[in-house]
Amino acid sequence: MKTYRYDATRIIDGIEGAAVGLALSESPPGAPGPGQVQVRVRANSLNFVDLACLSGAFAVDGRIPLLDGAGEVSAVGDGVSRFRVGDRVVGNPHASWLAGPPAPDASGVVLGIATDGMLAGTVTLPESTLAHLPESIGFEAGASLPCAGLSAWNSLRGGPARYAVAPGSTVLVQGTGGVSLFALQFARVMGCRVIATTSSSAKADTLRALGAYAVIDYVQTPDWGARVLELTDGIGVDLTVEVGGPNTLPQSIVATRVGGRIALVGIVGGMGAIDYRDMLPINHKVLTLFANGMGSRRDLEEMLRFVDVNAIEPVIDSRFAFEDAASAFRHFAARRHVGKVVISHAS
Ligand SMILES: NC(=O)c1ccc[n+]([C@@H]2O[C@H](COP(=O)([O-])OP(=O)(O)OC[C@H]3O[C@@H](n4cnc5c(N)ncnc54)[C@H](OP(=O)(O)O)[C@@H]3O)[C@@H](O)[C@H]2O)c1
């Protein structure tokens, strides 16, 4: 069994500012213990937070990387009741959040960060962490969905309050990363109108092909919030899926309608401080800002059913072989991807 681990002595060349790299080792897999399931991993995908792990933002040295992975059950331990050998499965990144709203006892155990993740030929997990992968969803698509898909899903479903978008709602998404493209694809199937921002005209074509009603170049139009207002008859969008962080939040506040909602998801636009004057419209417009920490296993199961029934195809930017995982990290760190960067394991 081949396993990658974060290793502070082997920084991957070409990734600026990395504090840890990757080391590959080989050892026979042990038998799964009671309640555990052994999974032969067939595909993984990368997320922005994996770059934060490389940068030393979390104490991950020695851990198996990656939140996302899909594969086939190769062995089950005593007492396992939900899975059999050969079942197709995907891991929920929040290993101990099974259902319901976020709570202290369900939080914190994130695969690839606080505990071993999915970048190995074989992984052993508690059965409660795994969900069945529908037949229609391939391993690469399955591996692309948990982290980014769940964040998009729970942004649209309204977070713990479950104040979901309705058909006919207008949703704003930002850029062409994993979360934003899933939010666009899911919102279209839910009957919403989607306005998207991006930094390049080539990427704008992808956004339109996925069903965006309008695309705004946020580099050429730095006050894109005003452009969103023009596109919505001066009203603003019902929901903004905010992946940019402090450098985009003020424009997101402009772009969102009175009584609207902003799902606070990420920081791809970089860190920084916010002038409180830019936050005041939250009060005037009675906005609701809410977060999601991906989701529970129940959320993952519901999202997988939605993807299955609606035949949604995740946008896969590129695929790398498991043996060349360092190149996948390098490509993802170059920040030119559209959608998901996937690692495939030989069958
Ligand atoms: N809270 C959660 O549970 C959760 C879960 C998943 C992800 N996240 C967070 O959500 C964010 C997105 O994750 P991801 O995996 O989708 O990232 P990603 O795939 O790495 O996103 C990359 C894209 O971000 C876009 N971008 C960069 N700066 C931008 C800006 N100023 N305005 C608009 N778009 C910008 C770029 O799109 P263009 O090239 O088209 O401009 C780029 O392609 C990350 O911060 C991640 O940590 C949070």
Side-chain angles (χ1 to χ4, degrees):
M1 158 180 115
K2 289 186 176 166
T3 302
Y4 282 99
R5 290 188 183 275
Y6 285 120
D7 184 337
T9 66
R10 290 168 181 253
I11 307 296
I12 306 169
D13 334 318
I15 300 190
E16 230 173 274
V20 286
L22 291 180
L24 185 59
S25 62
E26 193 157 2
S27 60
Q36 290 185 327
V37 173
Q38 201 169 68
V39 179
R40 179 157 176 263
V41 181
R42 300 288 302 274
N44 302 100
S45 84
L46 295 178
N47 292 287
F48 187 78
V49 74
D50 303 317
L51 297 181
C53 288
L54 284 188
S55 76
F58 305 101
V60 292
D61 200 16
R63 268 215 215 308
I64 303 175
L66 300 194
L67 289 73
D68 281 346
E72 278 157 325
V73 173
S74 50
V76 295
D78 286 346
V80 167
S81 59
R82 293 173 47 245
F83 297 101
R84 287 185 306 194
V85 169
D87 282 355
R88 303 166 80 255
V89 292
V90 64
N92 189 37
H94 253 295
S96 51
W97 183 6
L98 305 186
D105 60 352
S107 165
V109 188
V110 175
L111 302 180
I113 303 178
T115 189
D116 280 339
M118 301 293 287
L119 189 56
T122 302
V123 296
T124 301
L125 292 165
E127 74 163 321
S128 56
T129 299
L130 295 168
H132 287 274
L133 182 64
E135 275 304 318
S136 72
I137 305 178
F139 288 117
E140 292 182 352
S144 75
L145 279 159
C147 172
L150 270 178
S151 191
W153 176 250
N154 273 331
S155 296
L156 296 165
R157 302 259 295 157
R162 286 287 181 255
Y163 178 8
V165 288
S169 298
T170 302
V171 176
L172 173 66
V173 301
Q174 301 173 338
T176 50
V179 174
S180 302
L181 292 193
F182 282 131
L184 163 55
Q185 290 177 292
F186 295 173
R188 291 294 295 131
V189 173
M190 290 173 182
C192 302
R193 172 173 277 182
V194 179
I195 298 175
T197 67
T198 185
S199 56
S200 95
S201 55
K203 291 179 176 187
D205 292 342
T206 304
L207 289 162
R208 282 193 202 93
L210 289 170
Y213 162 75
V215 182
I216 306 168
D217 185 318
Y218 63 82
V219 178
Q220 284 173 14
T221 312
D223 55 347
W224 45 265
R227 178 72 190 125
V228 173
L229 291 181
E230 282 169 18
L231 288 163
T232 52
D233 296 328
I235 289 172
V237 298
D238 297 284
L239 172 74
T240 295
V241 182
E242 222 305 326
V243 299
N247 297 312
T248 53
L249 183 57
Q251 287 299 307
S252 295
I253 291 170
V254 172
T256 306
R257 73 159 166 86
V258 170
R261 289 168 304 122
I262 300 179
L264 289 178
V265 175
I267 49 165
V268 286
M271 292 304 279
I274 299 185
D275 185 331
Y276 199 78
R277 281 169 292 196
D278 291 330
M279 306 284 279
L280 281 179
I282 294 173
N283 199 332
H284 305 153
K285 294 170 88 173
V286 200
L287 300 180
T288 301
L289 275 62
F290 65 99
N292 69 74
M294 299 173 285
S296 66
R297 192 191 81 213
R298 185 74 74 234
D299 293 323
L300 176 62
E301 290 162 344
E302 286 173 6
M303 176 186 73
L304 291 170
R305 264 203 305 278
F306 177 82
V307 170
D308 175 28
V309 168
N310 294 293
I312 293 170
E313 287 289 339
V315 176
I316 295 187
D317 170 88
S318 43
R319 296 168 173 81
F320 292 83
F322 175 73
E323 287 66 25
D324 196 19
S327 295
F329 275 88
R330 236 179 253 119
H331 176 71
F332 193 67
R335 315 302 296 138
R336 283 191 291 271
H337 61 279
V338 174
K340 297 296 296 181
V341 173
V342 163
I343 293 172
S344 262
H345 299 230
S347 44

